[in-house]
Amino acid sequence: MTERKIMTPRDTDPQGSEPGSRTQPQDGLSFQDPPVVGSAEPAGIMALDGPPPLAQPVSSTRGAKVRIGDRIFYWLTAGAGGFIVVLIALVAVFLVSRAAPVIAKDRSNFLFSRGFQVASSPLHFGVADLLWVTVISSAIALLLAVPVAVGIALFITQYAPKNLRRPVGYVIDLLAAIPSIIYGIWGIYVLAPHLVGVQRALYHLHFIPLFQDKGVQNGTIFDASVVLAVMILPIITAISRDVFERTPRPNIEAAWALGATRWEMIRMAVLPFGRPGVISGAMLGLGRALGETIAVMLILSKPSQNAKFSFSIFDGGQTFASLIGLNMQEANGATQTGAYIAAGLVLFVLTFAVNAAARAVVNRRREFS
């Protein structure tokens, strides 16, 4: 009987087996050594723990020739952007140059005094009442319009059938085409009488200064706020709808995959993505409400000169825009004209500050979204 001898790697190769050769372990099982990927030279094998080599930047325009049409289009777009900046700067310079001398002649505190008497000598005029009516009417309009606009935008983009989305969108967009004077006539003759019941219901909250009963039935700040809400509704709706339609599809599919309901999908995917757009639309609507002239001028009842200041939204008043629209044609001389321009300067600064704050909020939300 012949004795079978198992050959070991030492028997075949004193220096060790080559990579990839078959070896025979002690238990009789054979296995294949894993091949080594790389160069046979030690210097040709890259260390795995070292940083990867940095790629050299390659310019995509290297050797490319810029066309004359591209260069012309670039300068046209840059000029258009610069023209807007220069135009706003010129408007600011004009307002400041005309308003500063008149404000210097004012014997009252321009920002904190009441009454706008520019026909008297010396001058006594202030913008406290105008500032309050302008801000509170626009804020109430924004408070009423934003939830409705977001609801309409969500209905169009998430709930409405496809054959109904476009007609509803067209109807909402048509609201922006109605002239301001039509809104004013409709608001004072049609809407204001129907809002009397709402005002009487809110009289029970007289312990809140905003809802004190001052006895004005039609032409109140509340009436003007509701009309302004209807006027800014198409702007906020259009921007919110466009933003909601651009929600990334993977976000929506991920919410569905987690078993979310339709409302949970909207809350987790659609609303967080569209929040900066909704804020931008709301601020654009607020700018429209702050500067609205004709509709507010027709709706608001003008208070008497000796009327006491009131925080109630059921009282009359004037905004910056309605004051200028009513009295600018009767201004005689540079002094009276400068007083109304000073009121316009405050409105310009207020609108600029609102839009700047909105831009800051949108940019900050975009960083965290």
Side-chain angles (χ1 to χ4, degrees):
M1 184 174 180
T2 309
E3 182 179 358
R4 187 175 180 179
K5 182 179 180 182
I6 299 176
M7 303 296 294
T8 61
R10 294 183 180 272
D11 298 331
T12 57
D13 188 2
Q15 301 298 328
S17 61
E18 293 294 332
S21 62
R22 184 177 301 273
T23 58
Q24 186 76 13
Q26 296 179 359
D27 56 358
L29 299 178
S30 63
F31 60 88
Q32 185 76 17
D33 290 341
V36 178
V37 179
S39 173
E41 299 294 333
I45 301 177
M46 182 187 300
L48 297 179
D49 56 349
L54 297 177
Q56 296 297 329
V58 179
S59 177
S60 60
T61 59
R62 182 181 301 173
K65 183 182 295 185
V66 180
R67 297 181 180 180
I68 300 299
D70 294 338
R71 192 180 299 274
I72 293 175
F73 184 75
Y74 168 77
W75 286 112
L76 286 177
T77 53
F83 173 75
I84 296 299
V85 176
V86 172
L87 184 62
I88 295 176
L90 291 177
V91 171
V93 170
F94 167 76
L95 293 175
V96 172
S97 62
R98 295 297 182 90
V102 181
I103 295 176
K105 297 178 182 179
D106 187 13
R107 298 302 179 87
S108 301
N109 193 314
F110 175 67
L111 293 177
F112 300 102
S113 62
R114 298 181 60 249
F116 206 87
Q117 303 295 330
V118 296
S120 62
S121 181
L123 292 175
H124 290 278
F125 63 96
V127 296
D129 292 349
L130 302 174
L131 185 62
W132 168 253
V133 177
T134 302
V135 171
I136 192 63
S137 60
S138 301
I140 295 176
L142 194 67
L143 185 64
L144 295 175
V146 169
V148 179
V150 173
I152 295 174
L154 289 176
F155 171 76
I156 295 175
T157 58
Q158 305 297 328
Y159 289 97
K162 292 184 178 180
N163 56 356
L164 189 61
R165 294 179 183 178
R166 185 169 296 179
V168 174
Y170 285 161
V171 172
I172 299 299
D173 293 339
L174 284 176
L175 292 176
I178 300 177
S180 299
I181 191 171
I182 303 300
Y183 278 113
I185 296 174
W186 169 74
I188 190 61
Y189 291 109
V190 178
L191 183 62
H194 290 84
L195 292 178
V196 174
V198 180
Q199 295 183 20
R200 290 176 179 174
L202 294 175
Y203 287 163
H204 297 86
L205 302 177
H206 58 86
F207 54 89
I208 301 176
L210 287 178
F211 303 122
Q212 289 179 355
D213 180 11
K214 291 298 179 180
V216 179
Q217 296 295 327
N218 292 331
T220 61
I221 298 175
F222 178 70
D223 297 337
S225 301
V226 175
V227 174
L228 288 176
V230 177
M231 295 179 69
I232 67 177
L233 184 65
I235 301 175
I236 306 175
T237 303
I239 297 178
S240 301
R241 181 186 62 195
D242 292 341
V243 174
F244 292 157
E245 286 178 347
R246 286 167 174 77
T247 304
R249 194 64 190 177
N251 295 7
I252 298 177
E253 297 295 340
W256 291 124
L258 292 174
T261 62
R262 184 177 295 273
W263 162 241
E264 290 173 340
M265 180 273 295
I266 293 174
R267 183 172 56 86
M268 292 188 298
V270 178
L271 291 180
F273 178 81
R275 188 178 293 114
V278 173
I279 295 175
S280 299
M283 293 302 104
L284 286 177
L286 180 60
R288 168 73 187 276
L290 289 172
E292 179 55 40
T293 304
I294 300 298
V296 177
M297 185 174 64
L298 294 175
I299 294 173
L300 281 178
S301 61
K302 186 177 179 180
S304 60
Q305 298 292 341
N306 298 326
K308 296 182 179 180
F309 176 77
S310 173
F311 289 100
S312 176
I313 62 175
F314 301 134
D315 200 356
Q318 285 183 300
T319 63
F320 287 107
S322 64
L323 172 73
I324 298 172
L326 281 172
N327 302 299
M328 190 63 185
Q329 293 182 351
E330 300 178 0
N332 297 321
T335 301
Q336 295 184 11
T337 304
Y340 293 114
I341 292 178
L345 175 62
V346 178
L347 180 60
F348 177 83
V349 173
L350 179 62
T351 307
F352 190 84
V354 167
N355 285 276
R359 178 61 58 184
V361 171
V362 170
N363 291 337
R364 184 173 181 179
R365 292 299 308 176
R366 188 176 300 169
E367 294 177 359
F368 292 98
S369 61

PDB file of all heavy atoms in Angstrom, residues 95 116 130 293 297 318-331 337 339-348:
ATOM      1  N   LEU A  95     -37.360 112.359  -3.466  1.00  0.00           N
ATOM      2  CA  LEU A  95     -38.218 112.477  -2.289  1.00  0.00           C
ATOM      3  C   LEU A  95     -37.495 113.152  -1.135  1.00  0.00           C
ATOM      4  O   LEU A  95     -38.064 114.024  -0.459  1.00  0.00           O
ATOM      5  CB  LEU A  95     -38.712 111.091  -1.873  1.00  0.00           C
ATOM      6  CG  LEU A  95     -39.660 110.374  -2.833  1.00  0.00           C
ATOM      7  CD1 LEU A  95     -39.963 108.963  -2.340  1.00  0.00           C
ATOM      8  CD2 LEU A  95     -40.956 111.152  -3.003  1.00  0.00           C
ATOM      9  N   PHE A 116     -52.692 116.712   9.984  1.00  0.00           N
ATOM     10  CA  PHE A 116     -51.884 117.045   8.807  1.00  0.00           C
ATOM     11  C   PHE A 116     -52.376 118.388   8.280  1.00  0.00           C
ATOM     12  O   PHE A 116     -53.116 118.486   7.308  1.00  0.00           O
ATOM     13  CB  PHE A 116     -52.027 115.955   7.737  1.00  0.00           C
ATOM     14  CG  PHE A 116     -50.846 115.858   6.811  1.00  0.00           C
ATOM     15  CD1 PHE A 116     -49.753 115.075   7.141  1.00  0.00           C
ATOM     16  CD2 PHE A 116     -50.836 116.560   5.618  1.00  0.00           C
ATOM     17  CE1 PHE A 116     -48.666 114.982   6.288  1.00  0.00           C
ATOM     18  CE2 PHE A 116     -49.755 116.479   4.766  1.00  0.00           C
ATOM     19  CZ  PHE A 116     -48.672 115.693   5.095  1.00  0.00           C
ATOM     20  N   LEU A 130     -51.799 108.608   9.950  1.00  0.00           N
ATOM     21  CA  LEU A 130     -51.657 107.996   8.631  1.00  0.00           C
ATOM     22  C   LEU A 130     -50.887 106.678   8.716  1.00  0.00           C
ATOM     23  O   LEU A 130     -51.243 105.693   8.055  1.00  0.00           O
ATOM     24  CB  LEU A 130     -50.941 108.958   7.687  1.00  0.00           C
ATOM     25  CG  LEU A 130     -51.587 110.336   7.484  1.00  0.00           C
ATOM     26  CD1 LEU A 130     -50.672 111.217   6.639  1.00  0.00           C
ATOM     27  CD2 LEU A 130     -52.943 110.194   6.834  1.00  0.00           C
ATOM     28  N   THR A 293     -54.457 103.215  -3.581  1.00  0.00           N
ATOM     29  CA  THR A 293     -54.921 104.596  -3.456  1.00  0.00           C
ATOM     30  C   THR A 293     -56.412 104.737  -3.719  1.00  0.00           C
ATOM     31  O   THR A 293     -57.176 105.146  -2.840  1.00  0.00           O
ATOM     32  CB  THR A 293     -54.143 105.498  -4.420  1.00  0.00           C
ATOM     33  OG1 THR A 293     -52.746 105.371  -4.172  1.00  0.00           O
ATOM     34  CG2 THR A 293     -54.547 106.957  -4.242  1.00  0.00           C
ATOM     35  N   MET A 297     -59.321 105.291  -1.026  1.00  0.00           N
ATOM     36  CA  MET A 297     -59.821 106.669  -1.005  1.00  0.00           C
ATOM     37  C   MET A 297     -61.341 106.718  -1.126  1.00  0.00           C
ATOM     38  O   MET A 297     -62.001 107.570  -0.525  1.00  0.00           O
ATOM     39  CB  MET A 297     -59.177 107.449  -2.151  1.00  0.00           C
ATOM     40  CG  MET A 297     -59.503 108.934  -2.179  1.00  0.00           C
ATOM     41  SD  MET A 297     -58.568 109.786  -3.466  1.00  0.00           S
ATOM     42  CE  MET A 297     -59.224 108.986  -4.942  1.00  0.00           C
ATOM     43  N   GLN A 318     -57.449 107.829   7.173  1.00  0.00           N
ATOM     44  CA  GLN A 318     -56.783 108.039   5.895  1.00  0.00           C
ATOM     45  C   GLN A 318     -55.442 107.318   5.908  1.00  0.00           C
ATOM     46  O   GLN A 318     -54.756 107.273   6.945  1.00  0.00           O
ATOM     47  CB  GLN A 318     -56.559 109.532   5.617  1.00  0.00           C
ATOM     48  CG  GLN A 318     -57.790 110.302   5.207  1.00  0.00           C
ATOM     49  CD  GLN A 318     -57.472 111.744   4.882  1.00  0.00           C
ATOM     50  OE1 GLN A 318     -56.986 112.499   5.721  1.00  0.00           O
ATOM     51  NE2 GLN A 318     -57.753 112.145   3.645  1.00  0.00           N
ATOM     52  N   THR A 319     -55.077 106.804   4.771  1.00  0.00           N
ATOM     53  CA  THR A 319     -53.748 106.236   4.592  1.00  0.00           C
ATOM     54  C   THR A 319     -52.861 107.258   3.886  1.00  0.00           C
ATOM     55  O   THR A 319     -53.327 108.317   3.457  1.00  0.00           O
ATOM     56  CB  THR A 319     -53.825 104.946   3.771  1.00  0.00           C
ATOM     57  OG1 THR A 319     -54.331 105.252   2.467  1.00  0.00           O
ATOM     58  CG2 THR A 319     -54.747 103.927   4.429  1.00  0.00           C
ATOM     59  N   PHE A 320     -51.595 106.934   3.782  1.00  0.00           N
ATOM     60  CA  PHE A 320     -50.686 107.827   3.062  1.00  0.00           C
ATOM     61  C   PHE A 320     -51.154 108.027   1.622  1.00  0.00           C
ATOM     62  O   PHE A 320     -51.192 109.154   1.115  1.00  0.00           O
ATOM     63  CB  PHE A 320     -49.265 107.247   3.066  1.00  0.00           C
ATOM     64  CG  PHE A 320     -48.574 107.332   4.383  1.00  0.00           C
ATOM     65  CD1 PHE A 320     -48.382 106.205   5.164  1.00  0.00           C
ATOM     66  CD2 PHE A 320     -48.099 108.544   4.860  1.00  0.00           C
ATOM     67  CE1 PHE A 320     -47.740 106.276   6.378  1.00  0.00           C
ATOM     68  CE2 PHE A 320     -47.451 108.628   6.082  1.00  0.00           C
ATOM     69  CZ  PHE A 320     -47.271 107.497   6.846  1.00  0.00           C
ATOM     70  N   ALA A 321     -51.497 106.923   0.978  1.00  0.00           N
ATOM     71  CA  ALA A 321     -51.874 107.010  -0.437  1.00  0.00           C
ATOM     72  C   ALA A 321     -53.173 107.773  -0.626  1.00  0.00           C
ATOM     73  O   ALA A 321     -53.298 108.596  -1.548  1.00  0.00           O
ATOM     74  CB  ALA A 321     -51.993 105.600  -1.017  1.00  0.00           C
ATOM     75  N   SER A 322     -54.186 107.508   0.231  1.00  0.00           N
ATOM     76  CA  SER A 322     -55.455 108.222   0.075  1.00  0.00           C
ATOM     77  C   SER A 322     -55.321 109.700   0.395  1.00  0.00           C
ATOM     78  O   SER A 322     -55.957 110.549  -0.253  1.00  0.00           O
ATOM     79  CB  SER A 322     -56.516 107.581   0.977  1.00  0.00           C
ATOM     80  OG  SER A 322     -56.172 107.726   2.349  1.00  0.00           O
ATOM     81  N   LEU A 323     -54.500 110.067   1.370  1.00  0.00           N
ATOM     82  CA  LEU A 323     -54.269 111.476   1.680  1.00  0.00           C
ATOM     83  C   LEU A 323     -53.649 112.203   0.495  1.00  0.00           C
ATOM     84  O   LEU A 323     -54.094 113.296   0.103  1.00  0.00           O
ATOM     85  CB  LEU A 323     -53.365 111.594   2.904  1.00  0.00           C
ATOM     86  CG  LEU A 323     -52.881 113.004   3.235  1.00  0.00           C
ATOM     87  CD1 LEU A 323     -54.016 113.829   3.823  1.00  0.00           C
ATOM     88  CD2 LEU A 323     -51.699 112.974   4.183  1.00  0.00           C
ATOM     89  N   ILE A 324     -52.628 111.617  -0.078  1.00  0.00           N
ATOM     90  CA  ILE A 324     -51.966 112.254  -1.222  1.00  0.00           C
ATOM     91  C   ILE A 324     -52.910 112.320  -2.418  1.00  0.00           C
ATOM     92  O   ILE A 324     -52.971 113.328  -3.136  1.00  0.00           O
ATOM     93  CB  ILE A 324     -50.677 111.496  -1.570  1.00  0.00           C
ATOM     94  CG1 ILE A 324     -49.691 111.552  -0.398  1.00  0.00           C
ATOM     95  CG2 ILE A 324     -50.026 112.059  -2.821  1.00  0.00           C
ATOM     96  CD1 ILE A 324     -48.476 110.674  -0.572  1.00  0.00           C
ATOM     97  N   GLY A 325     -53.670 111.252  -2.646  1.00  0.00           N
ATOM     98  CA  GLY A 325     -54.585 111.253  -3.773  1.00  0.00           C
ATOM     99  C   GLY A 325     -55.696 112.279  -3.635  1.00  0.00           C
ATOM    100  O   GLY A 325     -56.156 112.844  -4.638  1.00  0.00           O
ATOM    101  N   LEU A 326     -56.156 112.546  -2.422  1.00  0.00           N
ATOM    102  CA  LEU A 326     -57.238 113.495  -2.212  1.00  0.00           C
ATOM    103  C   LEU A 326     -56.784 114.945  -2.262  1.00  0.00           C
ATOM    104  O   LEU A 326     -57.527 115.815  -2.739  1.00  0.00           O
ATOM    105  CB  LEU A 326     -57.919 113.232  -0.864  1.00  0.00           C
ATOM    106  CG  LEU A 326     -58.911 112.071  -0.796  1.00  0.00           C
ATOM    107  CD1 LEU A 326     -59.339 111.820   0.646  1.00  0.00           C
ATOM    108  CD2 LEU A 326     -60.117 112.345  -1.671  1.00  0.00           C
ATOM    109  N   ASN A 327     -55.594 115.235  -1.780  1.00  0.00           N
ATOM    110  CA  ASN A 327     -55.198 116.620  -1.550  1.00  0.00           C
ATOM    111  C   ASN A 327     -54.044 117.103  -2.414  1.00  0.00           C
ATOM    112  O   ASN A 327     -53.724 118.294  -2.368  1.00  0.00           O
ATOM    113  CB  ASN A 327     -54.804 116.806  -0.071  1.00  0.00           C
ATOM    114  CG  ASN A 327     -55.923 116.428   0.872  1.00  0.00           C
ATOM    115  OD1 ASN A 327     -56.998 117.003   0.851  1.00  0.00           O
ATOM    116  ND2 ASN A 327     -55.666 115.433   1.708  1.00  0.00           N
ATOM    117  N   MET A 328     -53.422 116.234  -3.169  1.00  0.00           N
ATOM    118  CA  MET A 328     -52.243 116.675  -3.908  1.00  0.00           C
ATOM    119  C   MET A 328     -52.591 117.720  -4.963  1.00  0.00           C
ATOM    120  O   MET A 328     -51.811 118.645  -5.207  1.00  0.00           O
ATOM    121  CB  MET A 328     -51.573 115.460  -4.573  1.00  0.00           C
ATOM    122  CG  MET A 328     -50.208 115.764  -5.167  1.00  0.00           C
ATOM    123  SD  MET A 328     -49.033 116.270  -3.892  1.00  0.00           S
ATOM    124  CE  MET A 328     -47.622 116.705  -4.881  1.00  0.00           C
ATOM    125  N   GLN A 329     -53.748 117.624  -5.583  1.00  0.00           N
ATOM    126  CA  GLN A 329     -54.110 118.589  -6.621  1.00  0.00           C
ATOM    127  C   GLN A 329     -54.407 119.966  -6.055  1.00  0.00           C
ATOM    128  O   GLN A 329     -54.346 120.968  -6.771  1.00  0.00           O
ATOM    129  CB  GLN A 329     -55.325 118.076  -7.394  1.00  0.00           C
ATOM    130  CG  GLN A 329     -55.046 116.823  -8.221  1.00  0.00           C
ATOM    131  CD  GLN A 329     -56.253 116.383  -9.013  1.00  0.00           C
ATOM    132  OE1 GLN A 329     -57.351 116.917  -8.818  1.00  0.00           O
ATOM    133  NE2 GLN A 329     -56.069 115.416  -9.900  1.00  0.00           N
ATOM    134  N   GLU A 330     -54.749 120.025  -4.767  1.00  0.00           N
ATOM    135  CA  GLU A 330     -55.042 121.312  -4.142  1.00  0.00           C
ATOM    136  C   GLU A 330     -53.823 121.943  -3.487  1.00  0.00           C
ATOM    137  O   GLU A 330     -53.942 123.002  -2.869  1.00  0.00           O
ATOM    138  CB  GLU A 330     -56.135 121.129  -3.090  1.00  0.00           C
ATOM    139  CG  GLU A 330     -57.441 120.585  -3.660  1.00  0.00           C
ATOM    140  CD  GLU A 330     -58.492 120.371  -2.593  1.00  0.00           C
ATOM    141  OE1 GLU A 330     -58.176 120.659  -1.417  1.00  0.00           O
ATOM    142  OE2 GLU A 330     -59.594 119.927  -2.925  1.00  0.00           O
ATOM    143  N   ALA A 331     -52.688 121.300  -3.596  1.00  0.00           N
ATOM    144  CA  ALA A 331     -51.475 121.841  -2.982  1.00  0.00           C
ATOM    145  C   ALA A 331     -51.009 123.064  -3.768  1.00  0.00           C
ATOM    146  O   ALA A 331     -50.870 123.019  -4.994  1.00  0.00           O
ATOM    147  CB  ALA A 331     -50.383 120.786  -2.954  1.00  0.00           C
ATOM    148  N   THR A 337     -46.698 121.243  -1.258  1.00  0.00           N
ATOM    149  CA  THR A 337     -46.308 120.090  -2.069  1.00  0.00           C
ATOM    150  C   THR A 337     -45.242 119.269  -1.368  1.00  0.00           C
ATOM    151  O   THR A 337     -45.275 118.031  -1.369  1.00  0.00           O
ATOM    152  CB  THR A 337     -45.798 120.559  -3.437  1.00  0.00           C
ATOM    153  OG1 THR A 337     -46.804 121.357  -4.063  1.00  0.00           O
ATOM    154  CG2 THR A 337     -45.457 119.378  -4.323  1.00  0.00           C
ATOM    155  N   ALA A 339     -44.854 118.930   1.793  1.00  0.00           N
ATOM    156  CA  ALA A 339     -45.432 118.201   2.912  1.00  0.00           C
ATOM    157  C   ALA A 339     -46.028 116.874   2.447  1.00  0.00           C
ATOM    158  O   ALA A 339     -45.842 115.827   3.088  1.00  0.00           O
ATOM    159  CB  ALA A 339     -46.503 119.056   3.589  1.00  0.00           C
ATOM    160  N   TYR A 340     -46.722 116.891   1.321  1.00  0.00           N
ATOM    161  CA  TYR A 340     -47.270 115.640   0.799  1.00  0.00           C
ATOM    162  C   TYR A 340     -46.172 114.724   0.264  1.00  0.00           C
ATOM    163  O   TYR A 340     -46.281 113.498   0.358  1.00  0.00           O
ATOM    164  CB  TYR A 340     -48.289 115.944  -0.294  1.00  0.00           C
ATOM    165  CG  TYR A 340     -49.523 116.638   0.227  1.00  0.00           C
ATOM    166  CD1 TYR A 340     -49.813 117.946  -0.139  1.00  0.00           C
ATOM    167  CD2 TYR A 340     -50.398 115.994   1.098  1.00  0.00           C
ATOM    168  CE1 TYR A 340     -50.940 118.591   0.334  1.00  0.00           C
ATOM    169  CE2 TYR A 340     -51.520 116.636   1.585  1.00  0.00           C
ATOM    170  CZ  TYR A 340     -51.794 117.931   1.206  1.00  0.00           C
ATOM    171  OH  TYR A 340     -52.907 118.575   1.687  1.00  0.00           O
ATOM    172  N   ILE A 341     -45.133 115.308  -0.269  1.00  0.00           N
ATOM    173  CA  ILE A 341     -44.000 114.480  -0.689  1.00  0.00           C
ATOM    174  C   ILE A 341     -43.331 113.842   0.520  1.00  0.00           C
ATOM    175  O   ILE A 341     -42.843 112.706   0.452  1.00  0.00           O
ATOM    176  CB  ILE A 341     -43.004 115.326  -1.513  1.00  0.00           C
ATOM    177  CG1 ILE A 341     -43.642 115.728  -2.845  1.00  0.00           C
ATOM    178  CG2 ILE A 341     -41.710 114.574  -1.755  1.00  0.00           C
ATOM    179  CD1 ILE A 341     -42.760 116.613  -3.704  1.00  0.00           C
ATOM    180  N   ALA A 342     -43.303 114.561   1.646  1.00  0.00           N
ATOM    181  CA  ALA A 342     -42.752 113.973   2.876  1.00  0.00           C
ATOM    182  C   ALA A 342     -43.571 112.768   3.316  1.00  0.00           C
ATOM    183  O   ALA A 342     -43.023 111.746   3.763  1.00  0.00           O
ATOM    184  CB  ALA A 342     -42.716 115.024   3.974  1.00  0.00           C
ATOM    185  N   ALA A 343     -44.903 112.858   3.189  1.00  0.00           N
ATOM    186  CA  ALA A 343     -45.735 111.694   3.495  1.00  0.00           C
ATOM    187  C   ALA A 343     -45.433 110.552   2.532  1.00  0.00           C
ATOM    188  O   ALA A 343     -45.378 109.379   2.934  1.00  0.00           O
ATOM    189  CB  ALA A 343     -47.211 112.077   3.418  1.00  0.00           C
ATOM    190  N   GLY A 344     -45.221 110.884   1.267  1.00  0.00           N
ATOM    191  CA  GLY A 344     -44.845 109.847   0.307  1.00  0.00           C
ATOM    192  C   GLY A 344     -43.492 109.231   0.621  1.00  0.00           C
ATOM    193  O   GLY A 344     -43.279 108.039   0.364  1.00  0.00           O
ATOM    194  N   LEU A 345     -42.587 110.016   1.176  1.00  0.00           N
ATOM    195  CA  LEU A 345     -41.281 109.480   1.562  1.00  0.00           C
ATOM    196  C   LEU A 345     -41.420 108.432   2.662  1.00  0.00           C
ATOM    197  O   LEU A 345     -40.753 107.392   2.636  1.00  0.00           O
ATOM    198  CB  LEU A 345     -40.371 110.618   2.020  1.00  0.00           C
ATOM    199  CG  LEU A 345     -39.000 110.223   2.566  1.00  0.00           C
ATOM    200  CD1 LEU A 345     -38.169 109.519   1.503  1.00  0.00           C
ATOM    201  CD2 LEU A 345     -38.253 111.447   3.106  1.00  0.00           C
ATOM    202  N   VAL A 346     -42.291 108.683   3.634  1.00  0.00           N
ATOM    203  CA  VAL A 346     -42.510 107.698   4.696  1.00  0.00           C
ATOM    204  C   VAL A 346     -43.092 106.410   4.118  1.00  0.00           C
ATOM    205  O   VAL A 346     -42.688 105.301   4.496  1.00  0.00           O
ATOM    206  CB  VAL A 346     -43.431 108.278   5.777  1.00  0.00           C
ATOM    207  CG1 VAL A 346     -43.719 107.243   6.860  1.00  0.00           C
ATOM    208  CG2 VAL A 346     -42.808 109.516   6.395  1.00  0.00           C
ATOM    209  N   LEU A 347     -44.033 106.547   3.192  1.00  0.00           N
ATOM    210  CA  LEU A 347     -44.604 105.359   2.552  1.00  0.00           C
ATOM    211  C   LEU A 347     -43.546 104.616   1.747  1.00  0.00           C
ATOM    212  O   LEU A 347     -43.520 103.371   1.744  1.00  0.00           O
ATOM    213  CB  LEU A 347     -45.764 105.775   1.643  1.00  0.00           C
ATOM    214  CG  LEU A 347     -46.477 104.647   0.889  1.00  0.00           C
ATOM    215  CD1 LEU A 347     -47.070 103.641   1.865  1.00  0.00           C
ATOM    216  CD2 LEU A 347     -47.558 105.226  -0.015  1.00  0.00           C
ATOM    217  N   PHE A 348     -42.658 105.343   1.075  1.00  0.00           N
ATOM    218  CA  PHE A 348     -41.573 104.717   0.309  1.00  0.00           C
ATOM    219  C   PHE A 348     -40.645 103.933   1.238  1.00  0.00           C
ATOM    220  O   PHE A 348     -40.284 102.779   0.948  1.00  0.00           O
ATOM    221  CB  PHE A 348     -40.800 105.792  -0.448  1.00  0.00           C
ATOM    222  CG  PHE A 348     -39.621 105.288  -1.212  1.00  0.00           C
ATOM    223  CD1 PHE A 348     -39.768 104.732  -2.468  1.00  0.00           C
ATOM    224  CD2 PHE A 348     -38.336 105.377  -0.674  1.00  0.00           C
ATOM    225  CE1 PHE A 348     -38.669 104.267  -3.179  1.00  0.00           C
ATOM    226  CE2 PHE A 348     -37.241 104.912  -1.365  1.00  0.00           C
ATOM    227  CZ  PHE A 348     -37.413 104.360  -2.626  1.00  0.00           C
TER     228      PHE A 348
END
